[in-house]
Amino acid sequence: MNPLMSWMKQARLLVAASLPECLFCLRKAPPSSELPSVCQSCYNHIPWICSPRCQTCGRPVGCPDCSRSRGPVPIQCNRSAVSYNSAMREILGQYKYRGNERLAPILGLMLDRAYAMLQQEQSERQRSLNLPHPAPSLHFSLFPKKHRPSAPWQADLLVPVPVSAARLAERGFNQAEQLAAAITRRRHMPQLPLLVRTHHTAKQSFKSRSERLADMKHAFTGNRDSEVLQSLRSLKDAINLQAEQRPLQIILIDDIYTTGSTIRACAEALQQLCGSLGCTAEIYALTWARS
């Protein structure tokens, strides 16, 4: 072989060996600038949800579930980062069922895009209705109310959907808690375990919509731990001191939204818990994928 060609081949091999491994396809490739540890090819094939068609559940196509629902919806809306296609199913399976926790920061970063979408929508709504919503942080309290600068909408609290003790023992972690932790780090919002699971339910993936709804009924209740309740009261009092009287704005966090049965059951339990403390709540949901 020509010495120059041999040197060039060795140089290419050295460069390839020094590249990071993509956490999605497991090939060595240059990472994308948007998602560290994910190559550009994999990033280009992510089915991002940029314009939800259903304003309630965040589905990017027509939604028969929300259109046929007759009762009141206990959440303001759900927003998801991606559509749940076969590629996203494989990624979630690697993380959730095969224990690849290296994916947690990447999935959390993806979920943050859904939060950014929700934040923009609510900020625009706030401006259109002329609703004051100073963020519950110290620097805003230093301004007299009429002189406070406008701020983007910010939720008060993240609440991960809890898993049963059996599921936690099986997986070793709660994926919703890890996703919520990623948003907490990026957005500086507190996370509180306001919900507990009252009973173990079988996997929902092979059940019909009616079976899921029946399965999730009464599956969650408010967490009555004294420290958790005191943290919630303290947050409510801080908001009332710094802002106009308004509901607590809480975001439920989960990995996937299918029929919405889990999110609805959690939202109803949260409303009951907040009501028992003499406060109202607006419940939103962020999920990594929309089925």
Side-chain angles (χ1 to χ4, degrees):
M1 180 182 292
N2 184 303
L4 178 60
M5 296 295 291
S6 177
W7 180 86
M8 291 176 64
K9 182 179 179 180
Q10 291 178 16
R12 285 196 297 269
L13 290 173
L14 286 172
V15 169
S18 66
L19 290 173
E21 182 183 80
C22 172
L23 291 184
F24 281 11
C25 68
L26 305 182
R27 294 194 298 261
K28 286 184 174 293
S32 65
S33 58
E34 296 86 354
L35 280 183
S37 302
V38 173
C39 72
Q40 191 63 51
S41 177
C42 286
Y43 179 85
N44 292 342
H45 288 88
I46 293 174
W48 297 109
I49 298 176
C50 300
S51 300
R53 184 169 175 181
C54 179
Q55 294 303 302
T56 301
C57 74
R59 200 171 186 176
V61 295
C63 182
D65 291 341
C66 292
S67 61
R68 72 186 173 195
S69 178
R70 300 181 185 278
V73 180
I75 63 169
Q76 301 295 310
C77 65
N78 169 73
R79 289 295 176 264
S80 302
V82 300
S83 294
Y84 195 53
N85 63 10
S86 58
M88 297 298 99
R89 184 182 299 111
E90 173 61 24
I91 296 301
L92 186 61
Q94 288 180 26
Y95 168 54
K96 187 174 175 179
Y97 302 119
R98 297 194 283 280
N100 186 357
E101 292 186 68
R102 292 193 304 159
L103 287 164
I106 296 298
L107 302 189
L109 191 57
M110 294 170 72
L111 182 63
D112 187 68
R113 285 184 54 139
Y115 179 79
M117 183 194 311
L118 177 64
Q119 184 180 53
Q120 181 178 353
E121 291 174 356
Q122 295 304 312
S123 296
E124 290 173 356
R125 174 179 173 270
Q126 181 179 301
R127 287 192 294 268
S128 67
L129 298 177
N130 197 27
L131 296 175
H133 187 106
S137 57
L138 178 61
H139 74 277
F140 269 84
S141 66
L142 300 177
F143 292 88
K145 285 185 179 179
K146 64 180 180 179
H147 297 306
R148 285 178 185 169
S150 60
W153 181 87
Q154 177 92 330
D156 301 311
L157 182 63
L158 302 175
V159 176
V161 171
V163 297
S164 66
R167 196 73 73 218
L168 186 61
E170 175 188 326
R171 294 178 191 158
F173 63 93
N174 177 357
Q175 68 278 1
E177 283 184 359
Q178 291 190 345
L179 291 171
I183 303 296
T184 292
R185 287 191 296 269
R186 289 182 64 83
R187 303 288 178 170
H188 309 292
M189 279 182 286
Q191 175 188 161
L192 273 179
L194 294 186
L195 297 171
V196 294
R197 195 138 191 165
T198 57
H199 60 268
H200 176 70
T201 54
K203 291 183 179 179
Q204 303 293 298
S205 53
F206 299 109
K207 295 183 180 179
S208 67
R209 182 175 186 274
S210 59
E211 288 172 333
R212 289 172 189 246
L213 291 171
D215 219 17
M216 285 297 140
K217 197 170 186 180
H218 309 306
F220 303 95
T221 190
N223 188 349
R224 292 288 173 179
D225 178 84
S226 59
E227 290 186 8
V228 171
L229 292 180
Q230 183 55 47
S231 296
L232 184 59
R233 290 191 187 97
S234 298
L235 177 62
K236 180 190 71 168
D237 293 343
I239 290 168
N240 288 341
L241 282 174
Q242 297 180 20
E244 303 283 341
Q245 189 74 24
R246 61 170 176 82
L248 277 171
Q249 294 177 321
I250 300 173
I251 298 182
L252 282 163
I253 303 289
D254 205 4
D255 56 348
I256 184 168
Y257 186 113
T258 304
T259 63
S261 55
T262 299
I263 292 295
R264 287 190 185 91
C266 287
E268 288 168 356
L270 276 180
Q271 295 284 12
Q272 292 173 6
L273 178 66
C274 291
S276 71
L277 298 179
C279 64
T280 58
E282 289 180 358
I283 312 296
Y284 300 82
L286 284 182
T287 48
W288 178 73
R290 177 62 174 93
S291 178

